[in-house]
Amino acid sequence: MATYVVTGVSKGIGYGALTVLTEDPANTVIGLVRDKAATVNKAAADPEFKGRSNYHILETDLTSYDALKTAAAEVAKITGGAIDYLIANAGYVSLFDNFDGIGTLAEQPKELQDDLQKSFDVNVVGQIHLFNIFLPLILKGKTKKVISVTTAFADLDFTNAFDIENAPLYSISKAAMNLAVSKFSAQYKKDGVLFLSVCPGSVDVDRYKNTPPEQLQKLGGLMSKLMQYKPDFSGPVTPQDSVRDMKAVWEKATAEKDGGAFLSQYGNKQWL
Ligand SMILES: NC(=O)c1ccc[n+]([C@@H]2O[C@H](COP(=O)([O-])OP(=O)(O)OC[C@H]3O[C@@H](n4cnc5c(N)ncnc54)[C@H](OP(=O)(O)O)[C@@H]3O)[C@@H](O)[C@H]2O)c1
């Protein structure tokens, strides 16, 4: 039995987390989204949620400090002031930088700058405010775990060994956040709080449904590098399976042993 706050439950991995974590009726799950009505309606129409009343949907935006403060106050009212887990899943996953290397993006310097700025605003600054604002609730919780959903693309060894060019701006922002997670850990480990970055693996979230074929073709190069990394790679997993993998990692992890670490969905550095 645990109380979770999960950001970005409108779709993708976050919606998968809402599904998986509410399976246990003893859990309370509070999902944060930008459009509350859309997610409330989506869950209401989803047979998976039939008979489940152990979740709440609240509205916030990672780019608004005030909206995050309001959300934390609303969460405190629901839970009595404590939460066990904060799962920082929401993120800006750019499509601008997804298909090209950093030198190619340099041909559009203004767009490069704007996209990098947006990646930082959401994936770094927003998450840091989120952590600081929700920390008082975590400190009053039993489990005291803060999980940042990150990406293998932020791993230097993986990037260097396989020349992973794609998504440079997104990856830079995620790498910066990984260090922020270890800085939080450095300060709050003594209070028993686990701060941990966990990669969800490769997850099918229908990201490329509107992508033109000429862009999609560019992903072929990335795919062949992933096949070199893991020759039996059979493609992305479902959001629910990814969440079950990550949940096993964060349940096993402790502040003392894993504080500030950057782990895969298997609890190590095996990214696929
Ligand atoms: N899918 C993968 O294979 C994969 C791999 C590695 C890491 N990840 C990480 O997994 C996490 C979830 O990604 P996903 O694949 O599920 O992506 P997704 O389907 O694009 O979902 C992203 C979520 O973040 C929310 N969000 C975006 N900007 C926000 C903001 N400013 N304030 C609040 N919420 C915001 C979105 O809300 P809206 O619906 O309002 O846009 C959505 O709920 C991300 O941190 C991503 O970096 C994913």
Side-chain angles (χ1 to χ4, degrees):
M1 170 190 163
T3 304
Y4 294 85
V5 169
V6 187
T7 62
V9 303
S10 62
K11 60 186 179 194
I13 297 169
Y15 190 75
L18 189 65
T19 316
V20 169
L21 299 175
T22 53
E23 278 169 359
D24 180 348
N27 288 340
T28 299
V29 184
I30 301 167
L32 305 186
V33 294
R34 288 192 288 186
D35 180 344
K36 176 176 171 173
T39 305
V40 167
N41 293 337
K42 181 174 173 175
D46 183 343
E48 285 257 31
F49 285 92
K50 201 164 185 291
R52 293 187 196 177
S53 56
N54 57 336
Y55 68 95
H56 305 257
I57 305 297
L58 302 179
E59 207 161 85
T60 197
D61 191 313
L62 284 167
T63 59
S64 166
Y65 187 84
D66 290 344
L68 286 170
K69 287 283 279 186
T70 304
E74 288 176 43
V75 168
K77 267 192 229 154
I78 294 169
T79 66
I83 61 171
D84 297 314
Y85 288 92
L86 174 62
I87 311 293
N89 160 76
Y92 171 57
V93 186
S94 170
L95 280 178
F96 167 72
D97 79 338
N98 214 276
F99 309 97
D100 295 300
I102 200 157
T104 310
L105 298 177
E107 290 161 17
Q108 301 173 76
K110 170 82 171 76
E111 288 83 353
L112 184 159
Q113 184 172 333
D114 290 349
D115 201 69
L116 184 56
Q117 185 65 58
K118 184 167 177 186
S119 299
F120 264 80
D121 287 345
V122 179
N123 298 342
V124 185
V125 182
Q127 313 288 346
I128 289 173
H129 287 328
L130 176 81
F131 285 13
N132 280 321
I133 288 170
F134 279 82
L135 193 63
L137 283 76
I138 283 283
L139 286 167
K140 289 189 195 126
K142 291 186 301 293
T143 316
K144 298 186 178 56
K145 294 191 176 182
V146 178
I147 308 303
S148 174
V149 179
T150 185
T151 174
F153 283 6
D155 182 57
L156 293 184
D157 293 338
F158 177 58
T159 303
N160 293 338
F162 293 88
D163 295 332
I164 307 291
E165 293 172 45
N166 298 63
L169 312 178
Y170 164 76
S171 308
I172 290 165
S173 72
K174 290 295 210 176
M177 191 57 210
N178 288 350
L179 195 66
V181 167
S182 72
K183 293 294 183 189
F184 273 101
S185 177
Q187 185 165 357
Y188 294 106
K189 191 190 285 176
K190 65 179 181 319
D191 301 301
V193 184
L194 169 73
F195 284 89
L196 179 69
S197 299
V198 182
C199 175
S202 172
V203 188
D204 183 4
V205 295
D206 224 6
R207 187 162 341 277
Y208 303 113
K209 57 177 181 267
N210 298 319
T211 303
E214 61 276 14
Q215 290 280 73
L216 278 181
Q217 253 181 0
K218 295 187 192 170
L219 287 181
L222 173 63
M223 200 45 70
S224 64
K225 288 171 183 174
L226 298 184
M227 295 302 294
Q228 270 175 45
Y229 179 72
K230 191 181 184 213
D232 62 347
F233 174 55
S234 56
V237 302
T238 65
Q240 282 84 354
D241 282 347
S242 163
V243 171
R244 287 184 214 289
D245 287 342
M246 288 192 289
K247 183 169 177 279
V249 173
W250 73 53
E251 285 185 347
K252 225 186 282 167
T254 65
E256 233 7 87
K257 178 169 62 73
D258 307 292
F262 165 27
L263 301 175
S264 75
Q265 69 278 27
Y266 307 118
N268 52 29
K269 296 282 181 189
Q270 179 66 39
W271 302 115
L272 280 179

